[in-house]
Structures are given as C-alpha cells and as structure tokens.
Amino acid sequence: MKLNGNDSRKAPAPKKKPKSHRALNALLAVVLLVAAAVAGYAIWERPPAIAAPQPAQPTPEQAATQPVESAAPADGPDVSDPDDDPDNSAALTTDATHRDGVYTVLLVGRDAASNSTDTIIVGRFDTVAHTVDCVSIPRDTLINISWSSTPKKINAVYPGYINSGKDGVEALRNHVAKLLGFEVDCYVVVSMDAVAEVVDAIGGVWYDVPEDMYYWDFAQNLSITIPAGYQLLNGEDTVKVCRFRDSYAGGDIERIGVQQDVLKTLASQVLTVGNIPNLSTLAEIVAEHTETDLTAANIAWFARQFLRCSMDDVKFHTLPIATGSYIGGVSVVSIDVPAWLDMVNTCLTPFDTPLTEQNVDILCANASGTSVWATTGVVAGGEDSFFCMTCTVKNGGVSAHHLPGLCPED
C-alpha cells in the first residue's frame, strides 16, 4: 500500500557489528599503532661505534727511549709521562677482529662531592647471545703510572687528572686499557645521585642487607644507620649500602660483592614488565647525571637489547687479586696476572684473538710491599717514585716519595 506515492515500508536498518568484532578491531588498531611506534623507535636508535684495534704495547726498550715532557703544575700530580697520555694507550695488536654485536663499556661510579671513583666496572654486552658480563676493578688496584705525588692506584686517576687540568675520563680509559689490553668501546661516568634517583623512580629495591651498617664520617657528611635484614631500600639508603665497608673483614673486596648484589637486584627489578613504563624516566635520570660518549640513540638501542636478557644472562665478577699490601702506608692490591688474563679472555674481550701478557701494562707488588715490577719491564716514573703517606704526614703535608719499603716507619 502506498501513501502520497511513498512506500510505507521502512528500509532495513544496517546490521550492527558484534561487540566482539569492534573490540578486535580496536585491539588491532592499538597493535598497529604500537608496532608503528616500535618501528619508528628502531629506525631512530643506533648501536654505538666500536673501538678500533690499536698498536701493540711498545717493548721495554722502545718505552725507555720515549721522551719525557716537562712536569705538571705543582698543585697536581705529575701526569706528563708519555705513557700516561690518553692518546698513547696500550691495546691489542692490529690483526685482531672485533666480534659482531659485542660491545665493551667502562662504567664508573663517581662521588659528586669528591670526584672519587671507588666503583669501576668493565662490562661486555653480547647483543647476539644477549649476555652481559661485568667485572669490578677494586679501587686500590696498582697501576703503572709515573706520578709520585699521589698513590699509584686506579681510583686516583680520575680526580688526579681533573686536579691537573687534564681529561679525567680519557686518562681513566687509558689506564683501564693498559690493564685489559684493549680500548673499551664506550664509557659512562655516573654520579651516585643517579643511582638514588633510579631506585626511587622504580619504587625502591627490596634487598637483604647482610649486616648492621652503622657508620659516621663527618668529613664526608656521611651517616649510615641501616639494620641488617630484608627490607625495602629507598634511593639514598641504597647508595649508603653500596658505600659501606667499615666492618667488612674483606674490606673493599667484600664491599664489591655487596655492590654487585645490589646491582643485580636493581637490574632484576628494572627488567620486570611492570617497569617498562618507567624506562623513559630512567633514561632521563641517566642522561642528567652521566658523563658519556653515548648518544641518546645509542642508549635507547642498549636499553632495548638489555630488555631481551634474563637475569641468568647477567653475570658479575671481580678482578683476581694476587696480594694485598701496604706501600708507604697506602693500601694497595696487586693483580694475579695469569688469572686476570684468563678472565679477560673469557668474560671481557670483544676480539677473536686471545690476549697475553705482551698486551698489558700491569704493575705488581709482593705481599710485604717491598718489591715492585711491571709486566712491560718498566716501572713508570722509576721505582723510587712511590708516594709515601707516612712521610708526607711527617712533612706537614708536603708530598714525599721513595723506593717501596724504605719508609722509616715500615
């Protein structure tokens, strides 16, 4: 029947899509957006450049003929010896091949107030196998450096060069290269303030503090009052746990073990799915508190690669020690060279050529601290260039140095 020439029947309404189909379409749209974002992120991020193999160490005869420049200013250590020049670093022979996808990094924990670098870690990141190996270098490790106005120890390098108006990072990289036998690909110097902020950003770290930690140092404005036991640590207390070593029987070596445990715990929490939204915040914290030769794109690439690791793939080690002794009233530790080279070849080198004693420049001492020698055969600065704390104090703070074992108080 028609009314006014129009069909009274209504056209059928369009069929509604089932809710399940709408939900699926929305989910697919989200997936596509995320995929596009990840694709754009992957296009932007970049792996860092790798360090090229360097010429082999000079022989003792070659080193002995190198000229010595004029002394450094009186207010800093003598860093003028060519062996201490960052551009004259020791490293691997040029016939070595760098393995694809393997990167090495020098990670340094710096105290913002004193510039001390008591935390020094060399890491190797294999982005093909997705494994990470980290080796801690004790702060008292002897190094073959020419200066005589401060101890010949690894943790004195960064502040020593800074105080002399030189590049502390490059100097530290150079001396770490002498221990390793190769140049690391990149470096990150992190203020301890960054560690505290990262911990706070992820809501703290649950950690089993191994013993009561009570220590006061008014000179450093440091107060540690942390009881033993499993507890949630905020950022400030996490840093204090890492710094504490007052009652450890093993001294700095035992502190390194605690630092490694804290870092593993922190890494484990960062790797959890729940912290993925925090990654941008963590990246901002790191960027604000670090000195590095990595770009933002490099850091982003490393972060994505790291998220593909499991905690079983992240391993920590400590440089093997042969002896611990005192030279001029200063505590030092000497590297067990054969064991160290085995660790370097197993855990750290990115090259396909094994390293030998010919590739390193390592200073060693006997257990009594009365005799020293270098793997190159040349003690930088001479054997009479060892700083003596005891004589310096007796001289009213005027730097004193002499042969090991010749201090009247020894």
Side-chain angles (χ1 to χ4, degrees), residues 63-370:
T65 61
Q66 293 179 339
V68 177
E69 300 173 2
S70 59
D75 60 348
D78 179 4
V79 296
S80 58
D81 191 304
D83 286 344
D84 299 335
D85 188 331
D87 295 328
N88 189 30
S89 58
L92 202 63
T93 54
T94 53
D95 59 354
T97 300
H98 199 293
R99 293 161 51 201
D100 290 338
V102 179
Y103 299 87
T104 55
V105 59
L106 173 63
L107 176 62
V108 180
R110 177 180 65 85
D111 183 88
S114 65
N115 270 337
S116 63
T117 54
D118 288 350
T119 300
I120 300 174
I121 297 173
V122 179
R124 182 180 70 181
F125 191 178
D126 187 335
T127 62
V128 177
H130 288 97
T131 59
V132 179
D133 283 280
C134 299
V135 177
S136 297
I137 299 178
R139 68 177 199 163
D140 292 340
T141 301
L142 274 172
I143 56 169
N144 201 17
I145 193 168
S146 65
W147 62 31
S148 59
S149 58
T150 198
K152 298 176 185 284
K153 302 198 301 185
I154 192 70
N155 76 322
V157 173
Y158 183 89
Y161 276 77
I162 292 291
N163 292 341
S164 296
K166 295 178 180 287
D167 192 326
V169 173
E170 283 305 307
L172 185 57
R173 288 184 72 174
N174 176 47
H175 281 283
V176 168
K178 289 183 178 184
L179 301 183
L180 294 169
F182 62 87
E183 287 268 9
V184 294
D185 297 316
C186 47
Y187 69 86
V188 179
V189 181
V190 184
S191 166
M192 296 307 289
D193 293 339
V195 177
E197 290 194 26
V198 165
V199 171
D200 287 337
I202 63 173
V205 169
W206 283 98
Y207 183 69
D208 191 3
V209 178
E211 62 179 73
D212 290 335
M213 296 184 175
Y214 300 113
Y215 177 74
W216 295 268
D217 186 334
F218 297 107
Q220 298 185 61
N221 193 27
L222 177 63
S223 174
I224 302 176
T225 54
I226 303 173
Y230 191 66
Q231 57 196 285
L232 182 64
L233 298 174
N234 62 21
E236 182 180 359
D237 284 344
T238 300
V239 171
K240 289 179 178 180
V241 168
C242 289
R243 295 184 66 179
F244 181 83
R245 70 181 185 126
D246 182 60
S247 60
Y248 293 155
D252 191 50
I253 302 302
E254 192 169 347
R255 179 177 69 164
I256 285 174
V258 173
Q259 288 179 345
Q260 291 176 347
D261 278 344
V262 171
L263 288 174
K264 282 189 285 188
T265 303
L266 180 57
S268 177
Q269 189 159 336
V270 169
L271 284 173
T272 62
V273 174
N275 271 312
I276 290 178
N278 294 323
L279 290 181
S280 60
T281 301
L282 301 184
E284 291 175 5
I285 292 170
V286 171
E288 181 181 353
H289 293 282
T290 60
E291 179 182 359
T292 181
D293 56 354
L294 295 172
T295 66
N298 297 154
I299 295 172
W301 186 82
F302 270 135
R304 188 166 65 88
Q305 296 297 322
F306 184 65
L307 287 174
R308 299 175 65 182
C309 299
S310 72
M311 278 314 300
D312 291 338
D313 300 321
V314 181
K315 294 179 170 58
F316 286 84
H317 318 268
T318 301
L319 178 149
I321 299 302
T323 61
S325 57
Y326 283 86
I327 298 179
V330 176
S331 174
V332 298
V333 293
S334 182
I335 297 174
D336 182 337
V337 176
W340 170 237
L341 289 172
D342 182 62
M343 181 176 287
V344 169
N345 287 321
T346 303
C347 304
L348 290 178
T349 181
F351 296 100
D352 62 354
T353 302
L355 295 158
T356 70
E357 194 170 310
Q358 299 301 313
N359 300 112
V360 296
D361 183 3
I362 296 175
L363 185 64
C364 304
N366 63 356
S368 63
T370 57

